[in-house]
Amino acid sequence: NAGVTQTPKFQVLKTGQSMTLQCAQDMNHEYMSWYRQDPGMGLRLIHYSVGAGITDQGEVPNGYNVSRSTTEDFPLRLLSAAPSQTSVYFCASSYSRAGAYEQYFGPGTRLTVT
Amino acid sequence: KQEVTQIPAALSVPEGENLVLNCSFTDSAIYNLQWFRQDPGKGLTSLLLIQSSQREQTSGRLNASLDKSSGRSTLYIAASQPGDSATYLCAVYNNNDMRFGAGTRLTVKP
């Protein structure tokens, strides 16, 4: 198993540009989520999905879109990048939404918006 | 709104010392609590998962406890080693929402 994979590892964007951060897992997990990590603030939930075709907002969803067309993939789209979106982004997955299972994290994407 | 706090923010200890990291949360209605390790520039690695019905979990030199009623968890590391140097994060999970503390940065000096 590759676990949770994320691409790209690093990205620099100009203000106003759009892009998609890719996330994939090969563990047949139902639950997938996106977090951002900023210095001194811990991780904050952006969006999550409890299964293919089902997504919902987390704590900080503004400026981001997600979709879940397959169990394996959960891309995060930045619609119009802003400097406030400079952060490290982590994708995670878990076997079930019930909260009884461990969350597995990808290696992260470091995004800089100039 | 659930808030998770970790104290101290940073800790430096000599090799071999036993140590305790603290995590507190404001809403006791949680499904589970998870402790993670994060190395610089890397993702998170799960260390221990404690279900809401459990009081503690152990893995090797690590022991995590959970007291839901007081909103506290501790991570005990026995006989610390330089390889334990990392940031340790706790997170509480409820209703599809996982809330993280800001972490404790641990340095174990040889």
Side-chain angles (χ1 to χ4, degrees), chain A residues 68-88:
Chain A
R68 184 101 178 265
S69 57
T70 66
T71 300
E72 295 78 19
D73 300 298
F74 190 44
L76 177 72
R77 282 182 287 277
L78 279 69
L79 308 173
S80 177
S84 61
Q85 294 179 304
T86 293
S87 188
V88 181

Side-chain angles (χ1 to χ4, degrees), chain A residues 1-90:
Chain A
N1 283 354
V4 180
T5 58
Q6 292 183 238
T7 56
K9 291 187 177 179
F10 302 94
Q11 183 70 48
V12 179
L13 290 178
K14 295 187 187 301
T15 298
Q17 288 184 318
S18 62
M19 79 158 295
T20 299
L21 279 62
Q22 302 292 343
C23 174
Q25 52 89 11
D26 61 358
M27 297 174 282
N28 201 31
H29 284 172
E30 285 187 351
Y31 183 91
M32 296 185 73
S33 53
W34 277 100
Y35 297 86
R36 60 177 289 172
Q37 185 176 33
D38 301 296
M41 297 190 69
L43 280 78
R44 291 180 293 168
L45 182 65
I46 304 172
H47 285 286
Y48 66 91
S49 169
V50 298
I54 306 169
T55 64
D56 207 344
Q57 297 181 348
E59 185 182 359
V60 289
N62 292 340
Y64 308 94
N65 271 358
V66 292
S67 61
R68 184 101 178 265
S69 57
T70 66
T71 300
E72 295 78 19
D73 300 298
F74 190 44
L76 177 72
R77 282 182 287 277
L78 279 69
L79 308 173
S80 177
S84 61
Q85 294 179 304
T86 293
S87 188
V88 181
Y89 291 85
F90 290 100

Side-chain angles (χ1 to χ4, degrees), chain B residues 56-92:
Chain B
E56 67 177 334
Q57 281 286 334
T58 298
S59 176
R61 295 183 294 109
L62 306 180
N63 176 278
S65 68
L66 174 63
D67 184 343
K68 273 182 52 177
S69 61
S70 66
R72 294 176 186 273
S73 176
T74 62
L75 179 66
Y76 175 83
I77 302 177
S80 59
Q81 303 170 358
D84 294 331
S85 297
T87 296
Y88 291 81
L89 299 103
C90 71
V92 295

Side-chain angles (χ1 to χ4, degrees), chain A residues 31 35 37 40-43 45 48 50 59 90 96-103 105-108 110, chain B residues 1 31-32 34 36 38 41-46 49 51 89 93 95-103:
Chain A
Y31 183 91
Y35 297 86
Q37 185 176 33
M41 297 190 69
L43 280 78
L45 182 65
Y48 66 91
V50 298
E59 185 182 359
F90 290 100
S96 169
R97 63 184 291 179
Y101 302 93
E102 290 182 29
Q103 291 235 16
F105 282 76
R110 188 173 296 272
Chain B
K1 175 187 167 186
Y31 282 134
N32 66 39
Q34 198 165 354
F36 294 89
Q38 186 176 29
K42 303 291 186 182
L44 281 68
T45 301
S46 178
L49 171 69
Q51 302 296 343
L89 299 103
Y93 182 87
N95 197 25
N96 291 317
D97 187 15
M98 196 166 208
R99 296 290 171 120
F100 284 80

